[in-house]
């Protein structure tokens, strides 16, 4: 809040809609409301990055530019908490207040379409006139860069979202994946607690989404790679989605050894 209060009016502010990467720490609904009010009071432009867990159901793929009078953005998330409505609330609140915003999203993770490069840029403008001008400027960027986006992946997404049975099946599977990641967090926390690993590891179950900052330093990470063949970024970030019930004990052993042994 202090940093947001210090930036010049008119600045573009990048926000993660939910399941913040890399920290896994999301603002509470009350904190989101404080953030929204401050951003609007300073005339800042929010740009939501939804490249990981978040997901929007749109009438358009690749590009959607609308004014508030004709807003047709339907927000659906779910890969963070497993609840579509809960995960979508931060962005919905910014759309509902009548201000402008941008949202970039990807379907790579929540629909398993990594190789298809399926995503969308949605922009909500204050008027139809502004929306027309924004669209014109974006076309100047799009035309020489890629002209037309790949259609195969977008067609898959459209087929799922337009069919009620497929959509319901997808939401069930989405929640299963979110619940599995939450379960991996709990299992890792329990394993560290059972080993008596020094430190407070409650952040593992308090964080949300695919990624977790373990709190391990670069020396401890190097030790785990060298002695346990476990690989992660040097800042201690791990992908919870990459864990399974079979691999949690090995990771817990490695973390315990890294924390308790001199490295």
């Amino acid at each position: 809040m202090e940093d947001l209060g210090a930036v010049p009016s008119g600045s573009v502010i990048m926000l993660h809609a939910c399941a913040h990467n890399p920290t896994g720490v999301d603002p509470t609904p009350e904190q989101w409301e404080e953030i929204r009010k401050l951003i609007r009071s300073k005339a800042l432009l929010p740009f939501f990055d939804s490249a990981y867990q978040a997901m929007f159901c749109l009438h358009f793929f690749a590009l959607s530019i609308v004014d508030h009078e004709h807003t047709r953005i339907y927000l659906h998330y779910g890969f963070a908490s497993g609840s579509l409505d809960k995960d979508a609330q931060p962005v919905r609140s910014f759309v509902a207040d009548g201000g402008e915003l941008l949202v970039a999203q990807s379907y790579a993770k929540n629909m398993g379409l990594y190789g298809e490069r399926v995503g969308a840029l949605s922009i909500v403008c204050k008027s139809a006139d502004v929306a027309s001008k924004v669209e014109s400027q974006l076309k100047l960027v799009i035309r020489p860069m890629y002209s037309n986006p790949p259609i195969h992946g977008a067609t898959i997404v459209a087929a799922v979202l337009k069919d009620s049975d497929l959509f319901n099946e997808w939401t069930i599977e989405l929640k299963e994946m979110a619940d599995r990641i939450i379960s991996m967090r709990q299992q890792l926390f329990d394993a560290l607690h059972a080993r008596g690993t020094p430190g407070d590891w409650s952040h593992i179950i308090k964080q949300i989404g695919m990624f977790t900052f373990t709190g391990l330093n670069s020396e401890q990470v190097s030790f785990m790679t060298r002695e346990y063949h476990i690989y992660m970024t040097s800042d201690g970030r791990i992908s919870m989605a990459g864990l399974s019930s079979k691999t949690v004990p090995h990771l817990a052993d490695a973390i315990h050894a890294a924390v308790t042994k001199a490295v």
Side-chain angles (χ1 to χ4, degrees):
M1 291 294 284
E2 181 180 349
D3 288 338
L4 288 175
V7 300
S9 295
S11 298
V12 178
I13 304 299
M14 179 68 71
L15 302 165
H16 271 192
C18 65
H20 183 269
N21 176 27
T23 67
V25 178
D26 284 356
T28 64
E30 294 76 20
Q31 290 170 337
W32 267 119
E33 182 62 13
E34 292 183 33
I35 292 171
R36 185 192 65 80
K37 289 180 178 178
L38 179 58
I39 286 177
R40 293 311 193 193
S41 69
K42 289 184 61 66
L44 306 176
L45 180 61
F47 193 148
F48 282 93
D49 173 12
S50 305
Y52 293 92
Q53 290 71 29
M55 179 265 182
F56 291 75
C57 172
L58 301 175
H59 280 282
F60 311 101
F61 293 92
L63 180 62
S64 175
I65 304 173
V66 296
D67 61 277
H68 271 286
E69 184 179 353
H70 302 93
T71 300
R72 301 172 65 192
I73 299 179
Y74 298 88
L75 307 178
H76 294 285
Y77 288 74
F79 204 40
S81 67
S83 167
L84 297 174
D85 290 327
K86 182 178 180 180
D87 291 352
Q89 188 54 43
V91 180
R92 285 176 174 170
S93 67
F94 278 82
V95 173
D97 69 11
E100 297 183 316
L101 70 151
L102 299 89
V103 186
Q105 77 254 31
S106 168
Y107 294 82
K109 290 181 173 62
N110 54 28
M111 283 199 172
L113 294 170
Y114 271 89
E116 301 298 339
R117 315 315 303 162
V118 188
L121 172 63
S122 303
I123 305 174
V124 178
C125 303
K126 62 183 179 181
S127 69
D129 180 59
V130 173
S132 176
K133 293 176 180 178
V134 170
E135 182 177 21
S136 175
Q137 291 298 308
L138 281 175
K139 286 180 177 178
L140 293 177
V141 176
I142 291 171
R143 180 62 180 175
M145 184 180 293
Y146 62 86
S147 187
N148 293 288
I151 194 172
H152 182 251
T155 304
I156 294 173
V157 174
V160 172
L161 299 183
K162 291 179 179 179
D163 184 289
S164 59
D165 291 336
L166 290 176
F167 179 80
N168 290 333
E169 183 179 350
W170 172 72
T171 57
I172 292 172
E173 293 178 352
L174 194 64
K175 188 176 188 310
E176 288 176 351
M177 292 302 298
D179 287 347
R180 195 197 77 82
I181 294 174
I182 293 171
S183 174
M184 291 303 101
R185 291 181 177 278
Q186 188 66 53
Q187 289 183 39
L188 179 57
F189 172 79
D190 291 343
L192 292 172
H193 181 73
R195 287 162 175 73
T197 307
D200 178 10
W201 299 93
S202 62
H203 57 277
I204 293 176
I205 52 177
K206 290 178 181 177
Q207 294 172 11
I208 192 171
M210 291 180 62
F211 300 104
T212 288
F213 259 148
T214 60
L216 298 169
N217 59 41
S218 59
E219 290 78 14
Q220 291 167 333
V221 170
S222 295
F223 171 83
M224 291 170 60
T225 300
R226 184 173 65 253
E227 300 297 330
Y228 287 83
H229 304 287
I230 291 176
Y231 301 88
M232 67 183 75
T233 56
S234 61
D235 57 9
R237 188 196 76 160
I238 62 173
S239 171
M240 299 305 300
L243 285 176
S244 69
S245 297
K246 292 182 179 180
T247 57
V248 163
H250 182 63
L251 176 59
D253 287 342
I255 293 176
H256 182 79
V259 171
T260 57
K261 293 182 180 181
V263 295

